[in-house]
């Protein structure tokens, strides 16, 4: 039976990656609509480009924590494999602590920034700039959540198959 930590991580990872996939599909629809309107109807509305830009940022930020937990992000784990077991544990703890600190700091500073630009509106959508910018603190907070639940254990790596 999986532990509480494993169940929370699996559920959280599945939820965030599903939401990110849905945002990516909405982004694809917005881009295709803009392309169709540009080349078939003679001109695309300005909001399609702006919506696509905001959606791709939100997609990446939502998916970051789930991808980090499964080890699917780009990183080089060579040093971890070459170090003795004790030093590798210290390195893993340092990496985990650094990830957690950067994620919490990113959530805090991006939240403050998103609130500070609330009086301005976007040019295409005409909404407060706070709305699309809230994907940044949300994404950083989700990364911190995943890192906190994962703990200072070594991250999984994609094994290279030698044929």
């Amino acid at each position: 039976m999986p532990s509480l930590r494993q169940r929370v991580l699996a559920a959280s990872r599945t939820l965030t990656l599903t939401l990110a996939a849905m945002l990516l599909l909405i982004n694809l629809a917005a881009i295709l609509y803009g392309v169709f309107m540009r080349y078939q109807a003679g001109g695309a509305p300005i909001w399609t480009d702006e919506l696509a830009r905001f959606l791709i940022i939100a997609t990446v930020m939502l998916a970051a924590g789930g991808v980090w937990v499964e080890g699917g992000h780009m990183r080089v784990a060579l040093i971890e494999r070459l170090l003795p077991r004790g030093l590798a544990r210290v390195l893993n703890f340092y990496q985990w602590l650094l990830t957690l600190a950067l994620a919490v700091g990113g959530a805090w500073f991006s939240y403050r920034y998103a609130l500070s630009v609330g009086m301005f509106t976007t040019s295409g959508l005409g909404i407060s700039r706070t709305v699309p910018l809230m994907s940044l603190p949300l994404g950083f907070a989700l990364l911190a959540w995943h890192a906190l639940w994962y703990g200072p254990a070594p991250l999984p790596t994609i094994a290279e198959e030698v044929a």
Side-chain angles (χ1 to χ4, degrees):
M1 182 170 160
S3 68
L4 174 65
R5 179 181 78 80
Q6 291 170 331
R7 289 187 308 224
V8 167
L9 279 172
S12 181
R13 184 182 150 281
T14 301
L15 179 66
T16 57
L17 292 180
T18 301
L19 287 173
M22 289 180 0
L23 287 179
L24 192 59
L25 288 174
I26 295 169
N27 190 17
L28 178 64
I31 290 171
L32 289 175
Y33 176 74
V35 168
F36 173 78
M37 292 301 289
R38 181 170 292 128
Y39 295 109
Q40 298 299 321
I46 191 171
W47 62 264
T48 57
D49 293 337
E50 193 171 72
L51 180 63
R53 185 171 47 250
F54 292 145
L55 283 173
I56 198 66
I57 293 168
T59 300
V60 169
M61 293 307 296
L62 277 178
V67 171
W68 183 84
V69 165
E70 67 184 17
H73 62 293
M74 185 169 46
R75 70 186 195 101
V76 178
L78 178 66
I79 295 174
E80 293 172 28
R81 289 183 283 180
L82 295 177
L83 287 176
R85 191 170 183 85
L87 287 177
R89 284 185 188 164
V90 171
L91 180 62
N92 287 329
F93 182 77
Y94 169 74
Q95 290 172 339
W96 172 74
L97 198 60
L98 184 63
T99 301
L100 197 57
L102 289 175
V104 169
W108 172 254
F109 286 113
S110 59
Y111 177 74
R112 300 277 306 200
Y113 178 70
L115 291 181
S116 73
V117 295
M119 66 186 100
F120 303 107
T121 59
T122 62
S123 59
L125 295 170
I127 59 174
S128 171
R129 286 195 181 268
T130 298
V131 174
L133 284 177
M134 286 306 278
S135 67
L136 294 173
L138 178 61
F140 280 122
L142 284 170
L143 177 59
W145 166 264
H146 283 100
L148 190 61
W149 276 96
Y150 191 82
L155 290 169
T157 57
I158 298 174
E160 299 175 0
E161 294 183 24
V162 179

